[in-house]
Amino acid sequence: MSGLLLVLIAGGLVYLVLTIVAAARYKAVMPVLIPGSDGPGISVLKPLAGLDLDLEANLRTFFEQSYWQFELLFAVRHEADPAAGVVRGLQTQYPAIPTRLVVTGEPPYANAKVYSLDLMKAQAQHDLLVMSDSDIRVTPDFLATIAAEFRGSAVGLATCPYRAVPGRGIWSTLEALGMNTHFLGGVLVARMLEGMKFALGPTIAAQRQVLDRMGGFDRLKDYLAEDFVMGSFAAEMGYGVVLSFYRIEHHIGSQSFQANWRHRIRWARSTRRSRPKGYLGEVFTNPLPFAVMLAAIEPAWWPALLLTACMRLWSALAIGAGVLDDPLTKSRWWLLPVQDFMTLIVWIGGFFGNHIVWRGRKYYLRPDGRFEPAP
């Protein structure tokens, strides 16, 4: 047992070093983007479903963009959706901003988000499409920065790193801490070692022709992790896929333990099917729990625990504080051991079960990452 733990800790320490190097390399090449007045027109596509926490404040930041030419498209399933009322209120407050509200009706397949994006894409006027979730908040220079990253380059798709902002509950605080240190660390290491061959769901920008060439949203409709496969398909076709240098805010809100657990397990099971080998390798990305176990079994190995704890903290600060400028990481770093044990439990749980619960509905996950409503 001690030998196995030592192997896992050693591999984890190598990984933590890679995260520190990857964070430094990301920051080192961060360009100074000068927004121009001649960039492409941008269509922002926003699928909505119900009243997320601070929905109006989140959407307002998109109405207040300083970019010279853009439009906002929103999609709801039914007219009675309270999110539609929020959109109409903002349309009244910002009459100069071109906006449309699309009522989709019931989706004909499991992924309602993809169905909404498909209908909005059909009505979008511009060829640079920014697909963004309802819980995202940005600054007024967001669209100008995205346009600058696409200007004069071979970029076909860009995905934005995000700083998770928790609600008041401890479970969302722990999840946000994990997103801002552990999850982003994996993204940065993948970017450094093999380039971006995937995308992150909260906000993706893509050229219309890229989506059309990959088969449109019809090709993505059966996947739960449609964001991941969208980036994968674009990379396979030879388009440049990049990790944007604009960092968005992802407001995850407060959740009970049960709701937070369902959310994490859904993510874990989806990841295991999207990239099974990578998911198995995640055992080496979280060494602190194994170092605690080793010190509990063999107290003489306490230096390994101390080294692992120091490296984990260094990695967390390099990513959360250094890359994301995250106040949560700076102030709640002492919760990292609790979050890391939670991450280990969720990772183990991801190997079991083939069903998920998403927005109150139960779905069956196929081995290839596709999903369908459970009978």
Side-chain angles (χ1 to χ4, degrees), residues 112-174:
K113 175 183 175 181
V114 167
Y115 183 58
S116 295
L117 289 171
D118 196 15
L119 295 184
M120 287 186 286
K121 173 177 172 286
Q123 297 192 30
Q125 300 297 307
H126 304 300
D127 289 331
L128 182 54
L129 307 175
V130 173
M131 297 154 277
S132 181
D133 290 349
S134 59
D135 51 9
I136 298 306
R137 197 172 297 187
V138 294
T139 54
D141 62 338
F142 165 61
L143 293 182
T145 303
I146 293 298
E149 291 186 321
F150 276 82
R151 186 182 298 117
S153 71
V155 175
L157 185 147
T159 185
C160 292
Y162 52 88
R163 179 174 65 224
V165 179
R168 296 181 179 179
I170 181 62
W171 305 114
S172 66
T173 296
L174 289 172

Side-chain angles (χ1 to χ4, degrees), residues 205-223:
Q207 302 280 5
R208 184 191 296 269
Q209 66 174 0
V210 175
L211 296 175
D212 290 341
R213 280 200 60 198
M214 72 173 61
F217 287 109
D218 188 64
R219 189 179 178 191
L220 307 174
K221 61 182 174 57
D222 295 324
Y223 290 95

Side-chain angles (χ1 to χ4, degrees), residues 93-302:
Q93 296 176 43
Y94 298 89
I97 304 299
T99 62
R100 264 167 287 173
L101 179 63
V102 180
V103 179
T104 67
E106 290 296 324
Y109 42 79
N111 199 322
K113 175 183 175 181
V114 167
Y115 183 58
S116 295
L117 289 171
D118 196 15
L119 295 184
M120 287 186 286
K121 173 177 172 286
Q123 297 192 30
Q125 300 297 307
H126 304 300
D127 289 331
L128 182 54
L129 307 175
V130 173
M131 297 154 277
S132 181
D133 290 349
S134 59
D135 51 9
I136 298 306
R137 197 172 297 187
V138 294
T139 54
D141 62 338
F142 165 61
L143 293 182
T145 303
I146 293 298
E149 291 186 321
F150 276 82
R151 186 182 298 117
S153 71
V155 175
L157 185 147
T159 185
C160 292
Y162 52 88
R163 179 174 65 224
V165 179
R168 296 181 179 179
I170 181 62
W171 305 114
S172 66
T173 296
L174 289 172
E175 183 178 12
L177 192 62
M179 288 181 178
N180 296 346
T181 59
H182 181 262
F183 174 72
L184 183 59
V187 172
L188 293 173
V189 170
R191 172 185 177 273
M192 178 178 70
L193 295 182
E194 60 180 9
M196 293 297 294
K197 297 182 180 179
F198 57 91
L200 310 176
T203 297
I204 300 171
Q207 302 280 5
R208 184 191 296 269
Q209 66 174 0
V210 175
L211 296 175
D212 290 341
R213 280 200 60 198
M214 72 173 61
F217 287 109
D218 188 64
R219 189 179 178 191
L220 307 174
K221 61 182 174 57
D222 295 324
Y223 290 95
L224 177 61
E226 82 287 332
D227 53 337
F228 180 88
V229 296
M230 186 189 305
S232 178
F233 291 157
E236 288 174 3
M237 294 187 300
Y239 287 103
V241 178
V242 300
L243 183 65
S244 172
F245 290 101
Y246 186 92
R247 292 148 294 179
I248 59 175
E249 282 191 359
H250 178 29
H251 288 248
I252 62 177
S254 299
Q255 291 180 321
S256 65
F257 170 78
Q258 185 178 19
N260 186 261
W261 174 259
R262 285 199 303 263
H263 169 70
R264 289 190 184 218
I265 283 293
R266 183 181 76 237
W267 193 357
R269 289 174 178 168
S270 171
T271 302
R272 179 167 66 89
R273 284 160 174 80
S274 298
R275 46 184 185 88
K277 293 181 181 179
Y279 188 79
L280 188 62
E282 285 183 10
V283 70
F284 292 106
T285 68
N286 190 24
L288 186 56
F290 301 123
V292 172
M293 295 177 198
L294 179 63
I297 296 171
E298 300 282 352
W301 280 103
W302 66 264

